């Protein structure tokens, strides 16, 4: 039986992770280690200057359940380093309530956990549904999750690569699964300004995503707009490959 | 006069950012927007589900100073979106108290800010000194910062690429500046277990970095061990380039 580590960024109370656990119990032994509090937008943040508390909860349909007062990366680290009796065969993060397509991959706590699994050399996948509804219908996602987790357990992933899987809301069934690149785009964001009761200003982030290549059919955003599941293989490595372009810097 | 946005992850009170500001005032107009509290290990975390407070402080040697109750990414966003009167010519983050070489680049709040500048299309650099001492001697770093910021203002950076610059401690003068890749390695980490007064366990992250290619002279870790400044050009893009390796996934 494969050992499956489950985590997320929407917290142990989110519907998405409970749906995920139930489908993964068909494939293997499941241990779920999730943040106690929502951690959206936490990227690969980890807790270094304060301690973590871990609480074992009641089993859920046979899955062991823990909550941690930390980030998604903390959950993966403490699970692999302390809580699990053996190294997991796969790390599965999600199902996120909201898209992690395009540039969102860099901010996503869901994908932060997947990148951390990848840093351990464990095949890792983040799953997201493009709905922020806390009661979102994950039913169409479940066969996709089952299929991709089984395929990944069979095939493995290249070293340093994990998968960012996004699924569009509002479909009873998807048109297919496509391996594509993260769409080029940016957040056209701004801060809405408020005044607190003591007349001090405060600010809340708002904005909308601008797709900079809407005609490109080989992007995750295209898939999501057209009823397909997008799978973007993503790299943990950060070094730009063409170092020779920087001759103007080196003095040796 | 170029407009230089300065930020960091060690907070507005850190010595490193004050040293950085003073050297950058030789090059341009400086606005500093830093986290109110230390944000080490915050990666590209951003605040989406709560508001930000911004406080203007007294000018420092002619630089405008602001503190924000958020992450390094929040500081860059609110500076560019709200606080600055024009788009900055460069974002400079640091000087970090501690190394951000090798795998640390993915967790670093210092580099989170640089990646965010990069997401806006602004040339961005993160500087770090390999000393956690809060009174560290940044003197040898200052000519490096001045040189690299001037060169980057002149030459620009490729789209989607920013620079991760690390400088070793304990040198009065560096042997040179080298453009290299991030070293391959991992944190061999574990959690030290404690018991709180109510007899509940808590955990603190500990560990040591394991260099997996100590003989490779073209890495940042090699530079730092041998008296050189390392410059690693790093990518915001996450998509793995060889999508054709994933034919086992696509069903269309």
């Amino acid at each position: 039986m494969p050992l499956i580590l489950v985590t997320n960024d929407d917290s142990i109370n989110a519907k998405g992770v409970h749906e995920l656990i139930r489908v993964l119990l068909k494939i293997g032994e499941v241990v779920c280690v999730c943040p106690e509090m929502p951690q959206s937008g936490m990227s690969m943040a980890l807790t270094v200057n304060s301690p973590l508390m871990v609480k074992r909860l009641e089993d859920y349909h046979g899955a062991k359940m823990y909550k941690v007062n930390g980030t998604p990366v903390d959950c993966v680290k403490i699970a692999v380093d302390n809580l699990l009796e053996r190294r997991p065969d796969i790390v599965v993060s999600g199902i996120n309530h909201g898209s992690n397509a395009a540039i969102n991959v860099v901010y996503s706590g869901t994908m932060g956990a997947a990148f951390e699994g990848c840093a351990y050399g464990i095949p890792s996948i983040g799953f997201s549904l493009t709905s922020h509804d806390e009661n979102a219908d994950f039913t169409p996602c479940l066969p996709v999750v089952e299929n991709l987790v089984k395929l990944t357990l069979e095939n493995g992933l290249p070293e340093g690569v994990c998968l960012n899987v996004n699924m569009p809301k509002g479909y009873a069934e998807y048109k297919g699964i496509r391996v594509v690149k993260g769409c080029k785009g940016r957040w056209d964001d701004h801060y809405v300004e408020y005044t607190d009761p003591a007349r001090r200003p405060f600010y809340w982030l708002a904005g909308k995503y601008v797709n900079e290549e809407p005609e490109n059919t080989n992007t995750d955003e295209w898939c999501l707009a057209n009823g397909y599941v997008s799978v973007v293989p993503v790299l943990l490595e950060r070094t730009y490959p063409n170092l020779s372009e920087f001759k103007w810097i080196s003095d040796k």
Side-chain angles (χ1 to χ4, degrees), chain A residues 5 7-8 33-35 68 70-80 83:
Chain A
L5 172 61
T7 189
N8 76 346
V33 183
C34 282
V68 177
T71 67
V73 163
D74 292 334
C75 290
V76 173
K77 278 196 179 293
I78 204 162
V80 174
L83 301 175

Side-chain angles (χ1 to χ4, degrees), chain A residues 35-166:
Chain A
E36 187 172 65
M37 301 285 287
Q39 299 285 314
S40 288
M42 285 302 274
S43 186
M44 288 192 76
L46 90 172
T47 303
V48 282
N49 291 321
S50 62
L52 295 177
M53 311 256 337
V54 177
K55 189 165 182 199
R56 175 88 188 259
L57 306 171
E58 264 187 47
D59 286 4
Y60 177 75
H61 292 266
K64 283 187 193 161
M65 304 289 285
Y66 297 88
K67 66 177 183 180
V68 177
N69 67 337
T71 67
V73 163
D74 292 334
C75 290
V76 173
K77 278 196 179 293
I78 204 162
V80 174
D81 291 349
N82 278 50
L83 301 175
L84 298 178
E85 284 168 18
R86 59 191 171 93
R87 186 178 167 86
D89 296 289
I90 192 165
V91 175
V92 184
S93 180
I95 302 173
N96 192 59
H97 295 243
S99 171
N100 281 316
I103 184 71
N104 299 304
V105 68
V106 304
Y107 304 112
S108 163
T110 303
M111 286 309 300
F115 280 118
E116 182 61 28
C118 185
Y120 278 101
I122 302 165
S124 300
I125 311 179
F127 289 99
S128 304
L129 174 68
T130 64
S131 167
H132 284 99
D133 185 348
E134 65 183 37
N135 294 310
D137 178 14
F138 291 93
T139 317
C141 306
L142 303 181
V144 174
V145 169
E146 187 177 348
N147 178 22
L148 287 176
V149 169
K150 281 182 178 166
L151 279 173
T152 302
L153 284 166
E154 282 164 32
N155 291 275
L157 290 174
E159 188 187 333
V161 176
C162 57
L163 301 180
N164 181 21
V165 180
N166 283 272

Side-chain angles (χ1 to χ4, degrees), chain A residues 2-3 15 25-27 47 55 58 83 114 125 140 146 150 160 168 171 184-185 188 208 213 216 223 235 245:
Chain A
L3 176 59
K15 181 177 178 186
L25 283 165
K26 297 203 257 174
I27 300 172
T47 303
K55 189 165 182 199
E58 264 187 47
L83 301 175
I125 311 179
E146 187 177 348
K150 281 182 178 166
Y171 289 86
K184 197 174 154 172
D188 185 12
K208 65 175 206 298
E213 47 178 349
N216 187 342
C223 289
L235 272 168
E245 289 177 26

